[in-house]
Amino acid sequence: MQITIVNDYDELSQAAAAHVMRVLRDRPTPQVVLPTGNTPLGMYHLLRTEWQAGRTDLSQARFFALDELWPLPEGHPATFAATLRRLLIDHGPVGHFDHLRSHAADPEVECHRYAEALGGGIDLAVVGIGRNGHIGYNEPRTDMRAPCQKVELTAQSRLSAKAYFPDLEPPEFGLTIGMGLIMAARSVLLLASGAEKAEVLAQAVTGPVTPSLPASLLQEHPGLIIVADRSAASLLPSA
Ligand code: PGA
């Protein structure tokens, strides 16, 4: 595990964007998993800027959304697929973009399809950490070996889904790349910003590995890189 502690959110965004661009440069057709949420917004801004200035090339990149709300109509602006399109994908030519279908009739079949689509393996999974320790929508005490799964969302996760869409009645379920595939990724970049993540980050890094805190499983990932700002890292032993 490599932990980089930076001063603030701007530095976190810079470190995250630089890491993603390194992976994009180093591999011929990199498969990269992308999260939504507040934490990566600055990273996406920098990636767009670099891309538009011609300093990075996404035309060979294969992007996959980390998770999705279910059910929601296809193309609904609150879907994570639509969010990632707005933040990055629709700003120029990318090699490939796939996501879990928020409108899938059968979520189990959809999860199977998505896990197959990721069959070549994940080069880099960029993830945030929920205040309850979830990674993607792998909520506490759900299946920690699944390649991809449908999960009942916690009240907190449903509330977060409303953040940008106050009128949304958030769906009860999420579809997510499971910890099984995340643990098999070549590398995982975990981003944590702000004091409200300090306790959960410290538990995830120094506490027991337990399905009650899905992020704790990442302790056993040989290619885990954590980038945290000072506030989020304040309870880590090294901070
Ligand atoms: P956040 O969400 O980036 O909005 O804090 C992270 C998460 O819940 O996984």
Side-chain angles (χ1 to χ4, degrees), residues 161-236:
K162 280 172 81 78
Y164 297 101
F165 297 91
D167 295 337
L168 179 74
E169 179 52 36
E172 276 175 55
F173 298 96
L175 306 181
T176 186
I177 296 179
M179 293 308 290
L181 276 185
I182 291 171
M183 291 302 287
R186 199 164 275 115
S187 62
V188 175
L189 176 64
L190 186 150
L191 305 176
S193 171
E196 72 270 19
K197 298 291 173 67
E199 197 172 321
V200 73
L201 184 65
Q203 275 173 21
V205 170
T206 61
V209 174
T210 163
S212 304
L213 199 86
S216 66
L217 268 70
L218 294 175
Q219 286 178 27
E220 295 177 346
H221 195 295
L224 174 65
I225 297 171
I226 297 175
V227 179
D229 61 21
R230 288 215 175 279
S231 314
S234 62
L235 300 177
L236 292 179

Side-chain angles (χ1 to χ4, degrees), residues 23-34:
V23 171
L24 294 176
R25 239 190 345 259
D26 288 352
R27 301 198 70 81
T29 50
Q31 300 221 107
V32 178
V33 167
L34 298 175

Side-chain angles (χ1 to χ4, degrees), residues 36-40 67 127-131 134-136 160 193 196-197:
T36 51
N38 285 322
T39 313
D67 50 6
V127 299
I129 180 170
R131 263 176 282 180
H134 73 197
I135 294 289
S160 301
S193 171
E196 72 270 19
K197 298 291 173 67

